[in-house]
Amino acid sequence: MLRASGLKKSYLSGDRRIEVLGGVDLAVMAGESVCIRGESGSGKSTLLNLLAGLDAPDEGLVEWEGTEATADRRARHLGMVFQSFYLIPELDALQNVLMAARMLGVPGAAERKRAAELLARVGLAERTSHLPNQLSGGERQRVAVARALMNAPRLVLADEPTGNLDERTGDAVVDLLLGVCRETGTALVLVTHNAAHAAKAGRALFLHGGRFA
Amino acid sequence: MPWYLYLALKQLFPTGRRFPFFTAISILGVALGVALLVVSTSVMAGFGHEIRRMIVDTQGDVQVRADGLVADSAGLAATVAKVPGVVASTRFAAGLVQVRFGDKRLYPTLQGVDIEHINGVIPLDSYLRRATLDDLDDDSVFLGIKLYDLLGASIGESIDVFSPMLLDDSRADVVTLPRSLKIRGVLEIGHQALDESTLLVTMRTMQDIYKLGGATKGLNLKLADNEDPDAAARRINAVLPPGVHAASWLTNNQDFLSILQLEKNMIFILLLFIVIVAGFSVTSSLLISVVRKTREIGLLGALGANPRQVAACFCFQGLIIGLGGTVAGLALGLGTLHYRNAIITVFTKLTASREAMDRFYQFSQLPSWTTTSDLVLIVSCSVVISTLAGLLPAWRAAKLKPVEALRSE
């Protein structure tokens, strides 16, 4: 479903070029959950951005089902969850979830129903009309999970989704993410520091020095 | 609606917030500029319209003059009456005189009225106060209302009129007495200069005082509605005898009308800068918004937005502010125009400047003439400037790379 081969990425820091990824290969099968762990600065987020097509590799190739990642394909086939939630503050929870559907066209009754169902699935049925600043950190991340699943993506990329949450809330969010992806047959790539969370995924990889150890 | 328009509206008018302060300030800036443009162009157009109306009402649509005097006015009238588009004509003659009432002496313009035909060309009855045209005979006079006030005379009293011809008589050792005329009424044109300097008598009295015999200075003509005065003047000139010329009111007052238009255009351009300044304020607000929402812009990229759609989101914000400001500005401007005379009355009372206003601005009421073309021009300029104001922020937002935007602090 997702195939990355020979991904290299480096950044300039002053006069020095720092290599972040030194030739990473990764394949994710449909419905599979993969956890990527690694130390801070090991290139986990960079790898996720390359997999999402948000950034271009210096070398290597990312393919989603055999074709190149584009913005339109990202909207249709990919859901993303971030450490900092990134909810739009002017929109309530339901509108934030529907925002993903808006990228593909004007949402109709079916999309609204699905957004409401997703919010109910993540335990926020009573908070659909709340603005992000009226929600707790864990609730915001659950809204972000619902948004990532709105367009029924084939793949969800989650970049340290528990980084801004306390341990108990973080566990709940990861369980939710894994559970929903398992139910819907959605592939999941989860980047985390947490070994316990990694253990819950189907496959765990460790990124060290720009390569999988 | 497309997501970028939806989000533009939501960012300007967020869910759950009753009063979007930044949006309101931006809209107010544009609205003030538009309102000022509407008020100033309408008032300037109003002055121009009043002056044009006054010119046509006192001179007719076309004036026929001879190099000297017109001896056969009736024949000339019959000739021009055959020209298509000419619906009426009236003879005219005018000249400066000295008027004496008690110890006051003034120097207005004496105008001879062709009583039988004047109302076909000039709506004189509508300007007369305390009299009708039937009250004017060879021994009476109508005074402009300001002239009447300046002399301090009353209806029924007599004034003495001295013609410049008295000078010729005195050179010939002939003593000519001034003509005594009884005041039968006043006329109020609404233009200060004319109301201070107009004296109306019958054509016979005018001919007598100016020693014209049976001659006149020419004809004032009324054209059919929607007739082009310049085209009509050309047709009339084609049938006139040598030494007699027809000119439209537009040609006769060309320089004056050009100055009026130039003044209106200059005021429009100067006040347009207020809208431009408001546009810069919109740019500034939206640029701040781009900086504040950098991570949201990154998120939009992650959700699948392309740079053009992100740019459209900010461009639409400029457009929406422009549309909102323009609508509010039109309402404010037209409302101000509706109550302009009440506002002027309050202002002149507070500043004790009513007399100065009347004298300086010539009109007893502040005129206003709002044309569709002026409104279309104002609306177009305002909307275009506001949309352009959104371009720079839109470009900045579109340039942001999602990865860098998401990482920004």
Side-chain angles (χ1 to χ4, degrees), chain B residues 299-368:
Chain B
L299 168 80
L300 294 173
L303 287 178
N306 63 45
R308 255 185 301 175
Q309 290 171 323
V310 172
C313 181
F314 284 89
C315 246
F316 271 119
Q317 289 186 47
L319 176 65
I320 293 163
I321 288 170
L323 288 174
T326 303
V327 170
L330 285 178
L332 185 64
L334 294 174
T336 305
L337 284 172
H338 185 72
Y339 295 106
R340 66 189 182 281
N341 286 315
I343 295 167
I344 291 289
T345 302
V346 172
F347 174 77
T348 51
K349 268 186 188 166
L350 288 173
T351 56
S353 57
R354 177 85 242 178
E355 206 178 313
M357 284 282 290
D358 284 351
R359 198 168 59 244
F360 188 68
Y361 288 106
Q362 307 290 323
F363 295 98
S364 46
Q365 300 276 298
L366 191 66
S368 167

Side-chain angles (χ1 to χ4, degrees), chain A residues 11 49 54-55 71 74-75 80 82 84 86 88-91 95 99 102-103 106 131 147, chain B residues 1 3 6-7 10-11 14-15 293 295-296 299-305 402-403 406-407:
Chain A
Y11 296 105
N49 289 333
L54 292 174
D55 204 357
R74 189 158 57 241
M80 293 194 78
F82 302 94
S84 299
Y86 297 141
I88 295 172
E90 292 87 0
L91 306 182
Q95 290 166 341
M99 198 64 207
R102 284 187 189 280
M103 291 288 163
V106 180
L131 291 170
R147 181 179 61 194
Chain B
M1 89 180 66
W3 71 262
Y6 170 81
L7 194 59
K10 283 290 177 186
Q11 288 188 340
T15 302
K293 295 179 182 300
R295 300 215 289 184
E296 281 171 45
L299 168 80
L300 294 173
L303 287 178
V403 173
L406 286 168
R407 270 202 214 116

